[in-house]
Amino acid sequence: MAITQALADALRSCGSRGALAGARALHGRLVTVGLASAIFLQNTLLHAYLSCGALSYARRLLCADIKEPNVITHNIMMNWYAKQGNLSDAEELFERMPRRDVASWNTLMSGYFKTRRFLDGLETFVSMHRSGDSLPNAFTFCCVMKSCGALGWQELAPQLLGLFWKFDFWGDPDVETALVDMFVRCGYVDFASRLFGQIERPTIFCRNSMLAGYAKYGIDHAIEYFEGMPERDVVSWNMMIAALSQSGRVRVALRLVVEMHRKGVRLDSTTYTSSLTACARLSSLGWGKQLHAKVIHSLPHIDPYVASALIELYAKCGSFKEAKRVFNSLHDRNSVSWTVLIGGSLQYECFSESVELFNQMRAELMAIDQFALATLISGCFNRMDLCLGRQLHSLCLKSGHNRAIVVSNSLISLYAKCGDLQNAEFVFSSMSERDIVSWTSMITAYSQIGNIIKAREFFDGMATRNAITWNAMLGAYIQHGAEEDGLKMYSAMLSQKDVTPDWVTYVTLFRGCAYIGANKLGDQISGHTVKAGLILNVSVANAAITMYSKCGRITEAQKLFDLLNGKDLVSWNAMITGYSQHGMGKQAAKTFDDMLSKGAKPDYISYVAVLSGCSHSGLVQEGKLYFDMMTRVHGISPGLEHFSCMVDLLGRAGHLTEAKDLIDKMPMKPTAEVWGALLSACKIHGNDELAELAAKHVFELDSPDSGSYMLLAKIYSDAGKSDDSAQVRKLMRDKGIKKNPGYSWMEVENKVHVFKADDVSHPQVIAIRNKLDKLMEKIAHLGYVRTESPRSEIHHSEKLAVAFGIMSLPAWMPIHIMKNLRICGDCHTVIKLISSVTDREFVIRDGVRFHHFKSGSCSCGDYW
């Protein structure tokens, strides 16, 4: 026995040291002393050969010398196959085994888990349980629970818990850890927390599993749990840093790195990878360089993942040369490093260089990476380079990467953006497996060309949907004028248990409410954002400010604007635009000046907004000042919109010659909108000669808009030139230009009511007209004289809407009306008088601006 044990110990020593020569010498010694047939020593020798990597010696021993292999013999051989990832040989040997024990089953399950064949591992466990030849042990349960967790198989987890209690493994720290981790990965974080609370001495691995669960499903709870942990290892710190960075709390994540260092915890490559990624998200090159220096001093070598994070940092912070320097210094470049550098070159619009890098990667790695392919296809998407995109598609087909979801999704997006919907749908239909991005890409593709029916077909064909998918369909409806369908979509979204509206949802909804002037619905959605804690999200608040402004509620817009911390340029522009639309030019100018004093830099849109405000309020000197400041101070070249505002401002104020001179000095060709602004001013001031010149230019530009034609015809008519007026109308008929029909709409009891001039389609049309007639009688006592024209103006759409609003809404409620065209002079006068005789307030948004009618006057001061 002593000799046998000594030989066995010597063989184990040779195996642990990889000493093949020593193992072979001991093999000869076994033969010499007559112990070569002892199964115990044979198994030990077999293990030694395999540990030395001598598979040929091991197989020769198994086939020639071991006459009666036992279950341990087969387990040793199968365990080696599994560790090498050679599961086909392991499976074949497992099937040939005359007898198996729990170690045999465990070896196969462990091999499946390590090679990510989780379902095969679970099926093996079921087969083991049904065979009845072996009872599971702690290691069995660790394997099967890890596989269940990796698959997130929620239905299986409770069944495994039942078996766990049946075999009474409570108290085994490894199984307890695997149990908690399984429920965390399956999404049962609350239940995992209750189980964790029952464990007397949880291991650090178990604590880290709970931290991962909290980090995934609630960052605030994760922070609280992390701070209360009695012990932490480097994994704990890394988990918390990564979770904070991914949740957007990047600065907090970096502060945690500093604290980790102060507490003496050694930063590893995972720490540096997460930290550098956080710096990249912040575009903080200073922080990143400090971490780079720390990496050089503390790590023996830079692994590819840290290197990739460094490349991403420098690329995103504008130091692409430094990114290339880091890349070129690497001895071991992996596909991640290449992909990040290719992405960085695309970010700086070095498209040809990115293609060159991709070809170099193929030559160096002798392989094509799916993520690199997807990145380059995305570059084609940004450049709308369909030619190269098709070549890359061919490469995908040859290499088999077309089966990768990330590649197929990139191809769908490319073809969709380039208008090739046939190929986009071909790629989609060819996919053996699709994710939410695939479906959403097709929804977006069809919504972009206005095919809402086809987009809805894809939406309805989805088995599962997330907030992004719902937002895509919701946005499609809103974008293409189907606001009511979009709002119905939101109601359906709220009924989904597993979908929560996000900030994109509310931005889209506010945009829809703004367009149709849905006041009440806008209030309801605003309430939802308050409950969701999103009302002070800058993007949501900006959309709400615009919604309130476009619904005629400038006071509410101002209150929200004042509450908003961290205003961005969009916030300032939204508020300035709101004031301008409401004819509050002085407030628009003051807000613009406040923006400058806060250090915000105005952009093209900022100047359009403030100049429009000056135009609507007759602030000539202020408008001239801002128009000069735009170029002189902020280096912004005036565009067509700015010139149009200035022509309108000068023209309305009676400076027609100056307005015409400004047009003559424009560096670009004036558009119909610019000449139209001058034409409108000529009507106000009765300048027929200049009006004819402006109209001539509008007609030469072949503008399809009927407004300018109708305006010139009206100018001639007012001047008593009926023949000229008739000639303009004939010109319209000859060109096939029809007068844009005027219509108004308003919201009553969550329903939008639409009115057209002389409309008889409304179910209450008789009552509405009777009400309007009575109102006209009342204002006649104030001196109003009804104007007569070839087409009577009495039943214009805004007048019908006013009468309906008085009938339908309580006396205390302001009546909000939207109109697609500029309100006519007669309607403007009538509504002013109606506001006086009824003591009602009317807010009307026409095609140009807002009018607040109250007590017989209008906020525009008759300057519109």
Side-chain angles (χ1 to χ4, degrees), residues 275-334:
S275 305
L276 290 165
T277 302
C279 291
R281 287 178 178 168
L282 267 182
S283 295
S284 177
L285 189 58
W287 263 93
K289 285 184 174 180
Q290 291 182 47
L291 284 168
H292 191 177
K294 188 76 177 166
V295 166
I296 293 170
H297 286 99
S298 60
L299 294 182
H301 68 280
I302 301 177
D303 69 38
Y305 296 100
V306 175
S308 298
L310 282 167
I311 295 166
E312 181 185 25
L313 165 74
Y314 286 119
K316 284 190 174 180
C317 291
S319 299
F320 189 60
K321 287 184 179 179
E322 189 65 21
K324 288 180 69 175
R325 193 187 67 77
V326 172
F327 178 81
N328 291 331
S329 69
L330 292 176
H331 299 293
D332 182 20
R333 300 168 183 163
N334 64 4

Side-chain angles (χ1 to χ4, degrees), residues 744-749 751-755 762-764 801 804:
S744 301
W745 67 96
M746 63 186 302
E747 181 190 17
V748 175
E749 295 181 353
K751 183 179 179 182
V752 176
H753 295 260
V754 181
F755 302 91
H762 196 281
Q764 295 175 259
F804 179 71

Side-chain angles (χ1 to χ4, degrees), residues 141 207 290 428 454 526 544 662 734 741 750 825:
F141 271 98
R207 295 182 190 280
Q290 291 182 47
F428 179 84
K454 191 74 173 177
S526 183
L662 181 63
D734 292 343
N750 288 331

